[in-house]
């Protein structure tokens, strides 16, 4: 604000909002751990983290729109920029963001396991990573935030350098617009990923076909047809399912169905309804 740099101002607002967003991530972890053994959470507290990621994505999208709006205003009504001072601030911001990205990137690569206290009859916790495993979206959101910050810091430095060296004062607000669009794309992707989980949109996941195949072609439950199947995620790589079956086998029980699905470690809870054909 003091140096009249739209690119630097956007970068500053960006970093400030992300400090709050990362605070939301920390709050989500703390809340998930605090209520881990609360029986009122039927499948554990993992979705508190997803809710934190979704909230962060909305915040990021608001920041992106604000960046573009303010940049357009500055493009139409330019003001003199203090290039040297602004570049020093932008460089410091870039260093901070790179360090944070390296720390969070290291944590993201090695996984971030949390036991939220949910166990099913087979003893599978909802904190394991199955072969269909999905990363921790809350940690991913924090990582995306600092990477986005680093990118906008680079854009701010490039814009300030161009204006300082070549006199391209228009480059400063233009980079603010570019940064806003870039951040908006990242926000949309995170919003989509977290929103799908919150809305239990999982019926297009490969695990659904695996469940259907297991209950219709398994050797222990032959002559059985799946008439209704619902699958939803209850952990980073853990799923629950409710399945309705029609069978010619009078000896088939729900325990047999659970045993057949036990080979799929990502299935941690099974509710089975069996109708006998006569």
């Amino acid at each position: 604000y003091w140096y009249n740099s739209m690119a630097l101002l956007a970068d500053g607002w960006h970093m400030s909002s992300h400090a709050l967003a990362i605070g939301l991530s920390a709050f989500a972890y703390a809340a998930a751990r605090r209520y881990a053994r609360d029986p009122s959470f039927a499948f554990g507290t993992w979705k508190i983290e997803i809710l934190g990621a979704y909230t962060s994505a909305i915040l990021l999208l608001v920041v992106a729109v604000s960046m573009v709006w303010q940049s357009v205003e500055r493009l139409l009504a330019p003001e003199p920029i203090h290039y040297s001072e602004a570049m020093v601030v932008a460089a410091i911001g870039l260093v901070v963001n790179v360090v944070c990205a390296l720390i969070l990137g290291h944590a993201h690569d090695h996984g971030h396991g949390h036991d939220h206290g949910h166990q099913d009859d087979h003893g599978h916790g909802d904190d394991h990573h199955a072969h269909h495993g999905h990363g921790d979206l809350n940690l991913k959101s924090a990582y995306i935030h600092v990477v986005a910050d680093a990118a906008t810091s680079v854009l701010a430095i490039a814009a300030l350098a161009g204006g300082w060296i070549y006199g391209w004062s228009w480059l400063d607000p233009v980079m603010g617009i570019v940064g806003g669009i870039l951040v908006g794309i990242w926000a949309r992707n995170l919003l989509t990923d977290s929103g799908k989980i919150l809305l239990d949109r999982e019926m297009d996941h490969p695990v659904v076909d695996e469940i259907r195949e297991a209950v219709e072609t398994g050797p222990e439950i032959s002559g059985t047809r799946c008439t209704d199947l619902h699958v939803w995620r209850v952990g980073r790589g853990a799923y629950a399912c409710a399945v309705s079956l029609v069978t010619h086998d009078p000896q088939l029980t729900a325990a047999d169905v659970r045993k057949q699905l036990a080979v799929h470690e990502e299935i941690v809870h099974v509710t089975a309804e069996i109708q006998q054909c006569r």
Side-chain angles (χ1 to χ4, degrees):
Y1 176 79
W2 286 109
Y3 300 148
N4 289 330
S5 169
M6 190 56 238
L8 184 60
L9 184 62
D11 191 22
W13 277 115
H14 201 204
M15 291 180 68
S16 299
S17 66
H18 291 178
L20 175 60
I22 293 175
L24 284 174
S25 299
F27 171 79
Y29 285 132
R33 179 172 296 179
R34 177 179 179 182
Y35 297 105
R37 303 197 180 281
D38 186 339
S40 63
F41 291 91
F43 292 103
T45 56
W46 173 70
K47 282 192 176 180
I48 293 178
E49 297 180 18
I50 303 303
L51 187 60
Y54 184 84
T55 304
S56 294
I58 292 177
L59 179 61
L60 193 59
L61 197 60
V62 171
V63 169
V65 173
S66 176
M67 288 170 61
V68 173
W69 180 268
Q70 293 181 61
S71 296
V72 170
E73 285 186 333
R74 189 60 59 88
L75 190 62
L76 297 175
E79 297 183 15
I81 301 171
H82 302 271
Y83 290 107
S84 58
E85 296 90 339
M87 285 191 70
V88 171
V89 177
I92 294 173
L94 177 60
V95 171
V96 172
N97 289 322
V98 169
V99 171
C100 291
L102 290 174
I103 293 172
L104 288 172
H106 178 76
H108 184 66
D109 290 340
H110 287 80
H112 200 99
H114 288 280
D115 185 1
H116 293 166
H118 172 70
Q119 296 283 337
D120 75 334
D121 292 338
H122 302 298
H124 298 303
D126 70 355
D127 63 325
H128 69 81
H129 295 270
H131 66 281
H132 292 304
H134 296 264
D136 182 339
L137 284 179
N138 213 47
L139 182 61
K140 178 183 177 181
S141 71
Y143 178 70
I144 288 177
H145 280 313
V146 296
V147 170
D149 282 335
T152 53
S153 294
V154 171
L155 290 175
I157 293 173
L160 291 167
W164 192 9
I165 297 172
Y166 301 107
W168 298 341
S169 58
W170 53 267
L171 193 58
D172 184 79
V174 166
M175 283 300 183
I177 296 173
V178 172
I181 294 173
L182 184 62
V183 171
I185 292 173
W186 284 332
R188 182 198 64 183
N189 292 338
L190 183 58
L191 202 63
T192 299
D193 290 343
S194 56
K196 284 176 60 177
I197 296 174
L198 291 174
L199 294 173
D200 293 321
R201 185 189 169 194
E202 300 289 349
M203 295 306 293
D204 57 350
H205 193 278
V207 73
V208 176
D209 292 332
E210 292 179 5
I211 293 173
R212 195 183 303 275
E213 181 181 1
V215 298
E216 290 186 339
T217 64
E220 297 187 15
I221 50 177
S222 58
T224 299
R225 182 168 56 90
C226 177
T227 58
D228 192 23
L229 177 63
H230 298 275
V231 179
W232 63 99
R233 203 182 311 185
V234 296
R236 279 185 292 278
Y239 296 82
C241 72
V243 58
S244 295
L245 304 173
V246 174
T247 182
H248 294 281
D249 183 359
Q251 305 299 322
L252 183 64
T253 66
D256 296 327
V257 177
R258 294 191 182 95
K259 183 178 180 181
Q260 185 66 34
L261 291 175
V263 65
H264 300 287
E265 293 185 354
E266 64 269 39
I267 308 301
V268 299
H269 182 85
V270 177
T271 299
E273 177 187 40
I274 301 174
Q275 299 179 6
Q276 302 290 341
C277 288
R278 301 189 184 280

